Amino acid sequence: MVPRVLVLRSAGSNCDEETGFAFEMVGGRADLVHINSVLRKKVRPEDYHILAVPGGFCYGDDISAGKILANELRYQLAETLLDFHRQGKLIIGICNGFQVLVKAGLLPSVDFQAPQQVTLTINNSRKYEDRWVYLSVDRSKCVFTKDMPDVIELPVAHTEGKFVAKDIGVLNALELNSQIVFQYTRPDGAKVAYPWNPNGSMNHIAGICDPSGRVLGLMPHPERHIDPTHHPRWTRRGLAEEGDGVAVFRNAVQYFLERKN
Amino acid sequence: MVTRIELATKPDFFDAEGAALRDAAQDLGIVSIRQVYTRKVYYFSGVVSHAVQQRIAEALLADVVTQDYAIDEQIHCPADKEVWSVEITFNRGVTDMVAETALKGIRDLGIQDITEAKTARRFEFTGNLTEGEKELVVEKLLMNKVVEHLLQPGETIFFPTADDRFTLVQVALVDADDSDLLRISKQRDLFLSLEEMKTIRRHFRDLGREPTDVELEMVAQTWSEHCSHKTLKGSIDYNGQRIDNLLKQTVFKVTEELNKPWCVSVFKDNAGIIEFDDEFNICFKVETHNHPSAMEPYGGANTGIGGVIRDPLGTGLGAKPVINTDVFCFGPVDMKMSDVPKGVLHPKRVMQGVVAGVRDYGNRMGIPTTNGSVFFDERYLGNPLVFCGNVGLIPRDKCEKTIVPGDAILVIGGRTGRDGIHGATASSGELHTESEGTWSGAVQIGNPIVEKKIVDTLMQARDRGLYRAITDCGAGGLSSAIGELAASTGAEVDLEKVPLKYHGLSYMEIWISEAQERMVIFVPPEKVKDALELFASEDVEATVIGRTTDDKKIRLRYKGTVVGELDVDFLHDGLPETVRKAVWQKPAIAESPRPEKIDYTKVLHDILASPNVCSKEWIVRQYDHEVQGGSVLKPLVGAANDGPGDASITRPRLGSQKAVILSNGLNPKYGLIDPYWMAASAIDEALRNVIAVGGSLDRTALLDNFCWGNTEKPDRLGGLVRAAQACYDVAKVFETPFISGKDSLNNEFQTDSGEAIAIPPTLLVSAISVMDDARKAVSMDFKKNGSFIYVVGETKNEMGGSHYYDLLGLTSPSVPTVDGKEAREIFTRLSAAIANGCVRACHDCSEGGVAVAVAEMAFAGGLGASVCLRTMPRTSDVSRNDIALFSESNSRFVVEVDPKRADDFEEIMSLLPYGYIGEVKNSGKLLIRSLNEMILINEKIADLKESWQKTLRW
């Protein structure tokens, strides 16, 4: 059995190819599918195991990041996505995809009726920044982080990546439910501030999952740390076996391979 | 009915833009501002209920976690006095892409009654601002009147649509005398000379009729410097020697003579193509967008990068854009506001706007920007240079177009508006203080998502073989695109079929508009339906507007009436030849006496902090340099990911280790002494950078971009001739062919007093190289305590144009030269040494010489070094420590070698000028000893790094 991945494209997606490639590298089969094909029912999400919303600037992020695609999911595909999730399938949103998931109502829990609980807003530095970060990993709940090391390195590249919760109650609930999957950190244990936390996110949050652990959203780009030469200091430390990001995709694909066995 | 919806950041959340504006105002010396509150405003036209308005606000526009909204009222800040409010919106006809997206979002919600949208920005400032300060804030921080204006109370937001008027306009040329001809050229902004106007008059006398306005415009556009390169392809009398077609005699000729089998298509398509691997070729093009960027930095740079991306996209049957590069030249960013002449934007603002423009377009296109550089000089004040480049990946069997009669002509992508009328002709003239007002039509803002959609769908159409030819709409719009692509057949176009942004354009405006994000493809009739369906499936507008013919005429119709009919032969071959005069004389530059009492440590700090040398991290991080998943060597490298890499390496195909190296060379300071050596140095520098990261000369190609002053003036043109000659001589020795190029002439600015300030002669050389295995790359940061440090290449007494002399105000006529034969040998052997694994780090010596190179390697590695100048290879006349430290001689590298491999390294380099100068130390310090082994510099690397980083830490 080969788990099938629907990489959802739209106007302005731009990390779709490398995201599909990462899934295929670890044994998945990825199709890059335009949202119009889903809305016009030419492609059925139910034929897939994993839905990946890739990075990019969907519709230019013109109103706010991810908003237009998020509304397409929320108002036109809610039933389909509820079924998808109910069937135990996986959803991942990376960078722009994370922004889409929180605005669509897929994170912090799959609920299309409740008002938005959290958001990703403009960085404290007010500008787009591409830089590598250290992330501490919570492995307790999320399907995608199984067996990952305590700390990994990935790049971030965004303007609107500052994680903000509506109020302290939302933040506490995320923590209590082990939904905070990735947090910006620094390897020497010192206080985490800019640029280690690159955008000013509350509680240094870089990625969260839903209570089931099957929906993950994160600002950093695991698909940009696949090949050992992706690492910014590979010329200093030598080539690793594989990039830190591979595990995210492998865990997702393995989840189905193991489940079926 | 107009609905106005305003959004504000909730009081408990951080208004990042407001805070940044307050800081920027302080930079301008305005300290009276306490707080700045920013508001986003949307206007909608259409009759809707309050409930619908609320739904639009809540479900679409507001981020309900962080934003409040208000319908038809303003959201006021908490202060009750000393509040100043301004609202700013785009001028009519300027692209408002957020408004267009909002309309889509509203339709997605099932709301059909909103027909138009427009956005605005409102600001509330608290504090006691004077009227003068308010004016300054508006003019310098908030808006550019070229594209925006202050919204006045009661101002009309939406206008009734204009009628599609149609009057055939003929221009009385046949009986016009010479003075009439000149007047017509001037009045219509045609920028045609008397000789050219007379040629057109003769042509229409022969035809026995007057030309229509669109015919005249098409000729002007085709013959413009921008499109025809008539200066460099024309005849030149250089110091009494006649040169027919300078380009053909130099940059084209060297490529022809080298005759590399891996050059696939050179100097004929929109970009030059070379072989990459068994399945793909790569193509590369660099363009300038100088004049638009001077007037509206954001829009100018934005459309600059957008435009150059369409070049590879329009090459062959279309290449997938995979890497961007950009190089800028600005005036000094620390200049006093009062010293900035009228009609000129402050260099800092130009730089911020240009960087933002490139950022917003490149990032949204999902193309990594991996390479670039910035150069500052006060002569770029009125005339900044913005070079944008793009590399594309193209299947080997998709590199040629086929033009046949009877194919449908489709325009795809953006709609046509009045934007950019006269861009091609305007860019061929000088800027002057009135530029802002007179040429505002030439400035545009791009919409990258429209272009991204074109790329997504075009690649599918290409692979399905749905079209036979493609080109981009750049300068000259449809006129240039169809005029050139159909030159061998002819074409007829029904102009009323071209989709418009708004009504009211004349047929002439439709034909020459330079609206962005448009491509033209020629589609076999039987494939039109499939093509239209494919584009529609991803919401890309595609329209059949005409067809190719076999009569070699460009025939234009508007609603059935023929409005223009031109012979392609006259268009493309009718341009009269003129002979331009060119002279070059060695300028009289004195050799300054030896400077006294130099504090070398301070000089090193000062050079590291100088704008041309300092860290460009502020720019680099704003560009996505990793999208598409192929980043191997990033622009910033080293222990803390912040050292200055020499060249970028990118793997354009996922899963393959085959890579592309990109680098550039630019040395305008040398150009003022001798453009020949400037050009030679630029080539040497670009190639040095390729070698330094592990590349080789074997499959390396070059691009030239000449930016010059007004070449009607013989001295300016003379320098250009010399630079072009160097391109031939030096590329020949290195065996690196030129594959594409572009020139931008008339880069002069006319001040109020009538003085013409020319830019320094500027040649950008870009290098592109294919690397078989990306894993063989090296970076420039010192890696390990105890490594040996070598200098390779000879240091010469060549201080003219050096940063060191510049800093001290000294001059010298001896500019860095290139000994091509020796340089070639150095490059080849060093490349072998790196491939052999002897080398841990390698950095090229350029601005600031050996001292700066070693310092950069030391702090990028977070280690330190101890070196001595005595053993450095140098000519016998280098007897001064300052020359040894700071000379900018070409073809040199600083190399870190594994001590265990030192013998191997020395064997590979044997008989070449190289010297062991010391060791990498984990000392946190840079220690440099003099030619007679005395301590010259002993400084903490942290302090040197701070000097290097502080200048542009914005």
Side-chain angles (χ1 to χ4, degrees), chain B residues 564-802:
Chain B
E565 189 174 281
L566 282 168
D567 292 327
V568 288
D569 292 339
F570 174 69
L571 261 180
H572 295 290
D573 304 322
L575 177 62
E577 192 175 277
T578 49
V579 180
R580 286 177 178 74
K581 259 196 140 23
V583 289
W584 190 78
Q585 279 177 316
K586 211 171 166 52
I589 295 169
E591 182 77 57
S592 298
R594 177 192 183 126
E596 282 174 41
K597 280 193 197 157
I598 299 297
D599 177 347
Y600 296 106
T601 307
K602 184 176 180 304
V603 170
L604 179 56
H605 275 288
D606 290 348
I607 296 180
L608 286 168
S610 68
N612 291 334
V613 176
C614 75
S615 171
K616 307 299 183 301
E617 185 166 355
W618 179 81
I619 301 176
V620 171
R621 294 230 177 276
Q622 294 190 62
Y623 298 152
D624 190 340
H625 43 264
E626 297 175 290
V627 63
Q628 297 194 17
S631 169
V632 175
L633 213 55
K634 301 177 207 309
L636 296 167
V637 296
N641 307 338
D642 58 4
D646 285 309
S648 72
I649 305 182
T650 310
R651 296 178 302 120
R653 298 187 66 190
L654 294 163
S656 160
Q657 291 299 332
K658 198 132 185 169
V660 174
I661 305 174
L662 277 192
S663 70
N664 60 268
L666 178 91
N667 299 288
K669 280 189 197 298
Y670 307 158
L672 295 159
I673 303 172
D674 189 340
Y676 183 92
W677 292 117
M678 171 192 77
S681 298
I683 295 171
D684 192 271
E685 185 184 10
L687 295 176
R688 235 156 50 214
N689 286 323
V690 167
I691 300 300
V693 298
S696 79
L697 292 177
D698 291 344
R699 192 169 292 178
T700 300
L702 302 173
L703 265 63
D704 63 86
N705 282 87
F706 290 92
C707 284
W708 239 255
N710 182 354
T711 46
E712 299 285 332
K713 300 172 188 168
D715 61 324
R716 317 273 209 254
L717 188 56
L720 206 160
V721 171
R722 256 187 93 66
Q725 285 172 335
C727 287
Y728 172 82
D729 294 345
V730 178
K732 186 77 189 280
V733 185
F734 284 121
E735 292 193 36
T736 48
F738 282 91
I739 56 166
S740 176
K742 193 87 197 217
D743 53 87
S744 165
L745 311 179
N746 294 313
N747 287 291
E748 305 215 357
F749 178 80
Q750 196 104 38
T751 63
D752 261 353
S753 56
E755 187 197 356
I757 304 172
I759 61 162
T762 308
L763 169 66
L764 170 68
V765 173
S766 307
I768 183 165
S769 184
V770 177
M771 187 179 195
D772 283 328
D773 187 351
R775 292 167 297 196
K776 299 278 187 200
V778 291
S779 55
M780 52 70 69
D781 44 310
F782 281 147
K783 305 291 188 311
K784 220 167 174 179
N785 186 42
S787 294
F788 292 177
I789 303 171
Y790 291 83
V791 169
V792 176
E794 207 164 39
T795 300
K796 301 169 189 166
N797 184 359
E798 300 175 318
M799 303 307 284
S802 68

Side-chain angles (χ1 to χ4, degrees), chain B residues 102 188 235 526 595 610 718 942:
Chain B
R188 292 186 166 265
S235 290
E526 70 277 10
S610 68

Side-chain angles (χ1 to χ4, degrees), chain A residues 167-189:
Chain A
D167 52 48
I168 193 79
V170 173
L171 216 50
N172 289 341
L174 287 175
E175 186 141 10
L176 212 63
N177 290 330
S178 303
Q179 285 177 255
I180 302 172
V181 181
F182 295 111
Q183 280 173 294
Y184 302 110
T185 185
R186 53 187 291 177
D188 58 7

